[in-house]
Amino acid sequence: MKLDRRYNITLLISFTGIALLVCGLFIWQMQRQVEDEWLVIESQLNRHQQQIEALLRASTDELESLRAAALQPPKDSPVWPQPGTDRRTFNLDHNADPDLWGNLVGRTSNDRAQAVEIRRALALAPWFSALSFKLPAISQARYVSQQAFVLIHPWRSSDTMTEKDWQLPELPVGPLRRWIDVHFAGPDKGLQATLQVSVQEQGRTLGALELDLSLDHLNRLNAGFSHPLGHTFIVNERQQVLAHPELYARALQVETPPPLSATEVGEHPQLQDWPVKTRISVGHTWFYRMPFRAAPWNLVYVVDRNDLWLRIWHIQRGVFIELMLGLLGLMALASALTRRQFVRPTLKLIQFLGHASRREQAQVPDRSEEHTSELQSRSDLVCRLLL
């Protein structure tokens, strides 16, 4: 009958609307949980950046301490460099304690100022020796003098050095501290990021102090980011990637720093133009940039938005399935009860009234004597109204 069909359609539309409403509310709840998860990620990113910032800050502070020590009046030293085999150079190849003094190699000069500067450099040797305990991430320390020699720690044989090693690099005006080139220091050390400061006294340049930060150590520190989704990488002002979980999977074997275009950023606009500590959406990928203070570098977090939604779905899918099954069960129960208690008796009543209006005998729905008498009285009333 038409009533039965319309009832089924109405019930289906109602139940579908309820199901869609529940799905909408569940998606809204998932969206809130995604935002809550993002707050957790931000807190972990802040903690991760602080750990790396502490390393960079300690390196710059140590360099400033070394610069202050280099400006102290030169003192006599218990060791002194010996002439090389060619008599044109000198070195500390055969000193009694290379772990303490490192090596001092340079070109021999008759200038008395060179002897003064050698004493100044040797006074820095104990400071250099302590670096391996204070900052294990610093793989090498150097003091390059204006007097054409270099103090280097840890010890290296003079046979592995050339005149280029003790040539004073081009320095900026003033005692400016800066991060310079990234260079490959061999398969045992890998890539190094160099921190440099000039040593000046009364406007006169005495030399330059340089600390090499191991990118292998930096990558191991960067790998400590604890959130299971996404990853972080570090890029410098030259758009060179210094730390990345995939590009530096074997950090000691990487001889040149990969460009920024090799990461998930690709060919997108300059990283420095991105807003700081703001989530940026590029396609289905989210980026988050955090600059460092102790270095002109950036920590970048990248995560696939779909992975984040899948994580929330895996956590909440049990609740959603139970909710939908419970809702379907309630719908089925409500449909069965209404059909049994209201729809079927109503259909029989309509059929009975139709027969009664045509003066036909109809069978009263056999439920109970009380219900039958009620239906008969209603049918008589309807018949009188129709007449």
Side-chain angles (χ1 to χ4, degrees):
M1 298 178 66
K2 292 184 178 181
L3 178 62
D4 191 25
R5 185 166 61 252
R6 283 192 296 180
Y7 169 78
N8 292 334
I9 294 174
T10 303
L11 197 64
L12 178 62
I13 293 174
S14 302
F15 287 172
T16 303
I18 294 174
L20 291 175
L21 179 61
V22 171
C23 291
L25 290 173
F26 186 78
I27 293 174
W28 175 76
Q29 181 66 23
M30 284 186 62
Q31 177 67 41
R32 290 189 58 184
Q33 291 187 349
V34 167
E35 295 302 325
D36 291 342
E37 188 70 19
W38 181 257
L39 294 178
V40 174
I41 293 174
E42 280 188 329
S43 66
Q44 293 185 5
L45 281 172
N46 287 327
R47 188 162 53 248
H48 184 59
Q49 185 210 25
Q50 289 170 5
Q51 292 174 349
I52 301 176
E53 186 78 64
L55 170 62
L56 301 178
R57 176 61 65 184
S59 301
T60 57
D61 290 347
E62 191 63 32
L63 190 68
E64 287 298 323
S65 298
L66 290 171
R67 187 175 69 86
L71 294 175
Q72 297 298 316
K75 298 179 181 180
D76 291 337
S77 173
V79 298
W80 196 257
Q82 301 299 315
T85 55
D86 56 2
R87 297 294 176 178
R88 293 185 297 107
T89 59
F90 56 86
N91 59 70
L92 280 177
D93 281 352
H94 304 292
N95 75 83
D97 193 354
D99 290 336
L100 174 62
W101 299 105
N103 204 349
L104 190 144
V105 183
R107 185 176 63 247
T108 302
S109 172
N110 294 326
D111 190 351
R112 292 181 59 185
Q114 186 182 61
V116 175
E117 291 306 310
I118 288 176
R119 288 198 298 271
R120 183 191 303 275
L122 289 174
L124 292 174
W127 290 75
F128 283 4
S129 177
L131 276 177
S132 58
F133 301 99
K134 296 168 66 176
L135 288 174
I138 301 299
S139 63
Q140 185 170 268
R142 294 183 299 277
Y143 174 67
V144 185
S145 174
Q146 182 72 34
Q147 296 295 325
F149 66 83
V150 59
L151 173 68
I152 189 168
H153 197 283
W155 181 90
R156 273 177 56 193
S157 172
S158 62
D159 296 336
T160 65
M161 301 186 199
T162 63
E163 189 171 348
K164 183 179 179 181
D165 290 309
W166 58 76
Q167 286 182 348
L168 187 66
E170 183 178 352
L171 298 172
V173 178
L176 180 66
R177 182 181 65 244
R178 60 177 184 166
W179 292 88
I180 55 175
D181 64 319
V182 177
H183 64 279
F184 185 65
D188 58 331
K189 293 184 178 180
L191 288 172
Q192 309 287 313
T194 303
L195 177 62
Q196 180 192 79
V197 69
S198 61
V199 180
Q200 298 182 358
E201 186 178 54
Q202 298 179 351
R204 182 171 61 96
T205 300
L206 303 178
L209 282 162
E210 295 179 347
L211 300 179
D212 285 347
L213 175 65
S214 169
L215 294 194
D216 175 51
H217 190 283
L218 185 64
N219 274 274
R220 282 187 273 121
L221 184 60
N222 182 62
F225 181 62
S226 57
H227 198 274
L229 294 182
H231 61 267
T232 57
F233 64 88
I234 300 173
V235 60
N236 65 9
E237 76 281 9
R238 300 180 181 88
Q239 307 295 300
Q240 295 173 323
V241 180
L242 307 182
H244 192 284
E246 296 177 1
L247 299 178
Y248 284 88
R250 297 181 178 180
L252 293 178
Q253 299 180 11
V254 180
E255 298 186 7
T256 56
L260 180 61
S261 59
T263 67
E264 295 79 3
V265 175
E267 301 297 335
H268 294 296
Q270 293 290 326
L271 196 65
Q272 283 77 6
D273 297 335
W274 291 6
V276 174
K277 294 187 176 181
T278 302
R279 188 175 66 196
I280 299 174
S281 180
V282 180
H284 57 81
T285 305
W286 283 346
F287 295 97
Y288 193 79
R289 179 175 78 93
M290 305 177 71
F292 294 104
R293 295 182 179 179
W297 303 349
N298 287 280
L299 178 70
V300 181
Y301 173 70
V302 54
V303 64
D304 191 312
R305 179 177 55 192
N306 296 333
D307 291 341
L308 196 55
W309 276 90
L310 283 175
R311 172 178 170 82
I312 301 300
W313 165 249
H314 287 320
I315 295 174
Q316 298 294 330
R317 61 181 178 181
V319 176
F320 179 74
I321 292 174
E322 292 176 359
L323 180 62
M324 292 305 296
L325 289 177
L327 182 61
L328 289 174
L330 289 175
M331 289 179 177
L333 179 61
S335 176
L337 290 176
T338 55
R339 183 172 296 277
R340 180 178 178 182
Q341 297 294 332
F342 301 102
V343 177
R344 288 179 182 174
T346 302
L347 291 174
K348 290 184 178 181
L349 176 60
I350 292 174
Q351 182 182 12
F352 171 77
L353 294 176
H355 290 313
S357 64
R358 293 191 298 269
R359 303 293 188 176
E360 296 180 357
Q361 295 295 328
Q363 180 181 359
V364 178
D366 187 14
R367 290 177 56 104
S368 65
E369 293 182 359
E370 180 181 358
H371 194 60
T372 301
S373 62
E374 180 183 357
L375 289 178
Q376 286 178 349
S377 62
R378 289 185 179 181
S379 63
D380 292 338
L381 176 61
V382 171
C383 290
R384 285 196 298 268
L385 290 173
L386 290 175
L387 292 176

